[in-house]
Amino acid sequence: MKVLAIAGSNSDASMNRQLVAYASSLFDHEEVEVIDLNPFEMPIYKHERELAGGVPQEAKDFASKIDGADLLLVSLPEHNGTYSTAFKNVFDWVSRIKDRTVFNQVPMLLMSTSPGGRGGAGVLEAASKRFPSHGGNIVETFSLPFFNDNFDKAAQKISNDEKDSELKDKIKKIAAIETLLEK
Ligand SMILES: Cc1cc2nc3c(=O)[nH]c(=O)nc-3n(C[C@H](O)[C@H](O)[C@H](O)COP(=O)(O)O)c2cc1C
């Protein structure tokens, strides 16, 4: 099984990248790739840009990564209650590729973390509602509030035992479903 862990952030010190990398480390014996949005930075979507030059190669490369995965771990930052601009731009460009859906029905664990107490509840709600219209097959969601208190940056793991157990339980369930599907 190939696990693709996507941090929906372009921050070099991304909290969501750290969280999604930790989540990906909980899968045993699986091929794992962790990416963020830096290699997929493109001009802001504009209708005339698409007419003139088509969909940028970066968006096609992002779509290929999704197509090559058996499981997606997606962790989104929340900016002003919803998607970060960096994520929304990739999402918009990928949604313009013909004859495909953005997430191609690949099973997904959708996550968010933020420094605040709501743990990205706004972006999780927006994505949970919208992604299914774009081939999003969300099997579980997970939110980590107060990242700076609940994540041990030195050890690169969740330090809040309750939240850590919650994530591990969800991953166990997903791993079991995936193993059944492989048989
Ligand atoms: C423009 C902007 C808006 C933000 N709005 C929110 C918000 O609405 N809710 C929230 O929990 N955090 C908010 N934050 C804090 C982010 O959660 C945090 O900076 C960061 O994006 C966490 O994700 P990352 O490190 O993976 O990029 C905001 C940050 C910025 C720069």
Side-chain angles (χ1 to χ4, degrees), residues 9 31 33 37-38 41 44-45 60 62 65 69 76 83 88 109 114 126 144 149 167:
S9 171
E31 191 187 338
E33 184 181 10
L37 299 183
N38 283 301
E41 189 163 312
I44 290 177
Y45 178 82
K60 293 176 187 164
F62 189 84
K65 291 219 173 273
L76 301 176
Y83 308 115
K88 187 62 166 49
L109 168 60
S114 84
L144 183 67
D149 299 322
L167 178 62

Side-chain angles (χ1 to χ4, degrees), residues 35-85:
I35 61 172
D36 64 22
L37 299 183
N38 283 301
F40 307 100
E41 189 163 312
M42 294 167 272
I44 290 177
Y45 178 82
K46 175 172 168 155
H47 178 61
E48 290 76 12
R49 255 185 206 132
E50 183 185 355
L51 288 179
V55 174
Q57 187 58 44
E58 288 87 345
K60 293 176 187 164
D61 292 345
F62 189 84
S64 299
K65 291 219 173 273
I66 288 173
D67 293 346
D70 301 304
L71 178 67
L72 300 175
L73 311 178
V74 179
S75 195
L76 301 176
E78 176 173 300
H79 284 184
N80 294 318
T82 188
Y83 308 115
S84 67
T85 304

Side-chain angles (χ1 to χ4, degrees), residues 143-157:
S143 159
L144 183 67
F146 299 120
F147 178 85
N148 293 314
D149 299 322
N150 287 332
F151 195 90
D152 180 339
K153 285 176 213 150
Q156 285 293 297
K157 63 196 283 285

Side-chain angles (χ1 to χ4, degrees), residues 9-11 13-17 77-82 113-116 119-120:
S9 171
N10 61 359
S11 163
S14 168
M15 297 171 181
N16 285 280
R17 185 182 172 109
E78 176 173 300
H79 284 184
N80 294 318
T82 188
T113 188
S114 84

Side-chain angles (χ1 to χ4, degrees), residues 150-169:
N150 287 332
F151 195 90
D152 180 339
K153 285 176 213 150
Q156 285 293 297
K157 63 196 283 285
I158 294 176
S159 51
N160 176 315
D161 288 344
E162 209 174 297
K163 292 305 290 183
D164 197 38
S165 298
E166 180 191 331
L167 178 62
K168 284 175 174 161
D169 284 349

